[in-house]
Amino acid sequence: MASFDTSRRLADALDAARTFRRQSAGLLAMVLACAAWILSLAHTPEPFAGLLLGVAACALLIELALTLAARRRAAACADELILSGFACESTRTPVERAIARRAAWLERPRTRHRLAEHLRWRLRLAEGSLGLSPGYMRASVHPPLARYERNALLADYTLIREMADRLDRGPADPRALVLLWSVVSAPPSLDRGAGRAAGEELSSRIRLAQRIVGRDRETPGSLD
């Protein structure tokens, strides 16, 4: 039932992204047409044309933001389905194609190398060895570390380093990649009272990813 609900949300997010892309294309065409009109009337400026251009440009920015948000929702839903062991036996439906594309993106050597680098930066940030350096600036694009995150990362320091090295060497199960991306990109909990529980949950994700990475690409299935 949960997989069905997630599939439905993924389908809705894909529909929204397609709609926003089409609207963005239409608005972009309008912006270009208005710009061409204003340039052609350079000696006799039309204030209404400039106003229309400004409104269309603002609307285009909003549409692009909505498109990005829809794509992020679709990626999150695809990650949930990958983590649940959803198997794409075909690519006939939009949902299956989206999951297949997401898995292929996760497994790309470039994506794996970037994930490995992010994991190493988070470890260095946790141990306080970055300082004011390009590495610190790179790590800062991700959510800052909470105390429970720092403790969890330091407790599993060796496991995370080994997984980062493993990702650089070759392919890994997409389920492990989803879990590890959540380690570097999930926002920290703002509830101080839930810090211990959040730290335990983060540690369980790290160790589950380590168990999956330690296997030789088993057939995706339940993680239980």
Side-chain angles (χ1 to χ4, degrees):
M1 185 64 180
S3 295
F4 175 79
D5 292 340
T6 306
S7 298
R8 185 62 180 270
R9 288 190 286 113
L10 175 55
D12 292 342
L14 292 172
D15 288 340
R18 280 194 295 269
T19 299
F20 292 139
R21 280 200 303 269
R22 291 168 183 165
Q23 292 175 349
S24 297
L27 286 170
L28 179 60
M30 180 183 295
V31 169
L32 293 176
C34 290
W37 185 18
I38 292 174
L39 290 175
S40 67
L41 301 174
H43 298 293
T44 56
E46 293 287 342
F48 290 107
L51 178 61
L52 181 60
L53 177 61
V55 171
C58 291
L60 177 59
L61 291 176
I62 294 173
E63 287 290 339
L64 291 175
L66 292 173
T67 301
L68 180 60
R71 291 182 62 181
R72 286 179 174 174
R73 289 198 304 272
C77 292
D79 285 348
E80 286 185 38
L81 290 170
I82 291 171
L83 197 56
S84 70
F86 185 93
C88 288
E89 298 179 356
S90 67
T91 55
R92 291 176 297 181
T93 69
V95 168
E96 290 174 332
R97 288 193 294 272
I99 295 173
R101 286 195 302 268
R102 181 66 175 174
W105 180 84
L106 288 167
E107 293 178 291
R108 287 192 315 170
R110 182 177 179 181
T111 305
R112 285 188 285 102
H113 177 69
R114 189 171 67 180
L115 173 57
E117 287 298 307
H118 285 321
L119 288 170
R120 295 186 183 104
W121 287 124
R122 296 295 273 182
L123 287 177
R124 293 181 64 188
L125 186 62
E127 66 181 358
S129 62
L130 277 178
L132 296 177
S133 66
Y136 178 84
M137 298 301 295
R138 180 173 180 175
S140 67
V141 301
H142 292 294
L145 290 179
R147 182 187 296 271
Y148 73 84
E149 288 181 300
R150 180 175 289 104
N151 293 337
L153 291 173
L154 292 177
D156 295 316
Y157 187 96
T158 302
L159 291 180
I160 297 172
R161 287 288 304 189
E162 290 176 352
M163 284 191 287
D165 294 340
R166 171 69 176 78
L167 295 180
D168 277 335
R169 289 197 299 269
D173 191 305
R175 295 172 297 173
L177 298 175
V178 169
L179 288 167
L180 292 175
W181 271 113
S182 74
V183 171
V184 300
S185 61
S189 173
L190 299 179
D191 185 357
R192 293 186 177 181
R196 180 175 180 180
E200 292 175 351
E201 195 276 334
L202 177 58
S203 292
S204 69
R205 274 186 282 147
I206 293 171
R207 292 172 186 178
L208 178 56
Q210 190 276 332
R211 290 199 298 273
I212 298 173
V213 168
R215 303 167 189 165
D216 292 329
R217 292 188 60 82
E218 296 179 357
T219 301
S222 173
L223 298 181
D224 295 334

